Amino acid sequence: MQLLQNGRFAVSTWSLHRLLGAVHAYSPDPDKSAAPKEPYGPGGAALIDVPAMLAARDINRLEICSFHLPSLDPAYLSELSDAMTASNVLFQTLLVEDGDPSHAGTAERDIGWIAEWIGIAAALGAQRMRVIAGKQKPTEENLDRAARQLNWLAEKAEGSGVRIVVENWFDLLPSPVEMNWLLDRLDGKVGLNGDLGNWSAPAKYAGLADIMRRAEICHAKADYNAGGLDADDYRMCLEMCERAGYAGPFTLIYDSTFFADEWDGILLQKTFIEDFLRDAPARRTA
């Protein structure tokens, strides 16, 4: 029922990183500073204004990158949660953007730090928290280490109302073989956010057709070239989702400089997917 009420489209704040400006590199590494930096420019909007911007564009789901939170103070988290509620925007996922559960030397430190975000996600009313499964090469030892740490994390999240999900991302998960092994090992305790743009073509298409059957949410990232959106690639990725039976929401990931205004890219992708879904009955009967 909630999916029907909130539609099938979300936006990640990564798609608005130039608009939002400053990032805070929260990290388990004590040598890294969370002081704000502006690698994408000064920005022109505050995070707390984004829910109303989404609602004005008929998008009612939001994903927030951890580095876009300007404060972790409970008062600010409450204010941001209220802004989402006021705009009828569902907080779909908090994206925790650091940590490596597969690292031999720092996995325990990192997973402890990641676990601290569960309370932040819960305070914001997030349905899910996407974490990095691992950045190390997919050896048996590294995969096993990541599985143990993620299992522990899922147990820590029990009762919080926040579901842990991972993504087909970084070196640990280069193909469906590793992705499926990890999800099987976690036995439903951790879900999947399938990303359409993290693997490389042409092998990614068969890979997406395999893993998207297990996905709960989807980062619908589009590729761009000199002519704009790569329509053939995007359509093929969506066809693989359809082949897999994926019926969840699509998070619009615009990660290009093709459009100066990030909203132009976001809304182009939304229209593309809407047109694809509208034509779905005809494809099934063809």
Side-chain angles (χ1 to χ4, degrees):
M1 185 65 176
Q2 199 166 42
L3 179 60
L4 295 175
Q5 290 174 342
N6 290 88
R8 289 195 69 178
F9 292 101
V11 167
S12 164
T13 57
W14 176 248
S15 300
L16 297 166
H17 59 267
R18 296 197 302 272
L19 178 67
L20 292 174
V23 296
H24 303 253
Y26 304 112
S27 174
D29 185 343
D31 293 331
K32 289 185 179 180
S33 170
K37 298 179 178 63
E38 296 180 350
Y40 314 111
L47 176 61
I48 205 160
D49 298 324
V50 169
M53 294 178 181
L54 289 177
R57 293 165 173 84
D58 197 29
I59 299 171
N60 298 102
R61 290 169 171 261
L62 175 62
E63 296 197 342
I64 296 177
C65 301
S66 55
F67 52 66
H68 279 140
L69 289 168
S71 172
L72 304 182
D73 183 83
Y76 174 78
L77 299 180
S78 178
E79 188 178 357
L80 180 57
S81 178
D82 288 346
M84 287 186 274
T85 300
S87 294
N88 192 31
V89 168
L90 175 71
F91 189 17
Q92 181 170 283
T93 317
L94 174 63
L95 307 168
V96 179
E97 303 286 11
D98 207 340
D100 184 357
S102 68
H103 193 284
T106 60
E108 290 192 9
R109 179 200 71 181
D110 288 10
I111 206 70
W113 175 84
I114 292 169
E116 294 174 4
W117 287 89
I118 296 170
I120 296 168
L124 287 167
Q127 284 188 330
R128 296 175 180 84
M129 188 173 92
R130 192 273 281 133
V131 305
I132 296 167
K135 300 178 182 179
Q136 306 308 303
K137 296 298 181 182
T139 64
E140 182 177 350
E141 181 181 9
N142 289 337
L143 282 161
D144 185 67
R145 181 181 301 109
R148 290 197 311 272
Q149 301 296 346
L150 291 167
N151 184 70
W152 177 86
L153 183 68
E155 291 177 353
K156 293 292 287 185
E158 287 181 4
S160 69
V162 178
R163 178 160 168 80
I164 303 299
V165 298
V166 292
E167 185 175 331
N168 53 314
W169 194 23
F170 286 114
D171 284 354
L172 189 74
L173 303 173
S175 81
V177 173
E178 296 82 11
M179 189 76 257
N180 284 318
W181 182 93
L182 183 65
L183 292 174
D184 288 345
R185 183 73 175 271
L186 293 167
D187 195 27
K189 294 180 181 177
V190 171
L192 172 63
N193 169 51
D195 191 295
L196 305 186
N198 284 347
W199 290 342
S200 299
K204 75 171 179 178
Y205 303 125
L208 291 171
D210 186 326
I211 68 165
M212 289 306 295
R213 62 192 167 87
R214 311 183 74 156
E216 302 173 9
I217 52 178
C218 171
H219 277 177
K221 186 186 299 175
D223 285 339
Y224 286 76
N225 51 40
L229 188 149
D230 186 338
D232 290 341
D233 175 79
Y234 209 31
R235 187 178 298 106
M236 180 67 75
C237 289
L238 294 172
E239 287 176 359
M240 295 306 102
C241 292
E242 186 176 64
R243 182 180 299 179
Y246 178 73
F250 291 99
T251 303
L252 303 165
I253 305 289
Y254 173 67
D255 186 14
S256 172
T257 56
F258 186 82
F259 292 107
D261 186 336
E262 290 163 308
W263 284 114
D264 289 341
I266 291 167
L267 295 177
L268 174 64
Q269 292 174 206
K270 179 175 183 283
T271 298
F272 191 101
I273 297 174
E274 286 173 332
D275 290 344
F276 178 87
L277 295 175
R278 190 177 301 114
D279 292 341
R283 286 194 300 275
R284 296 191 192 105
T285 56

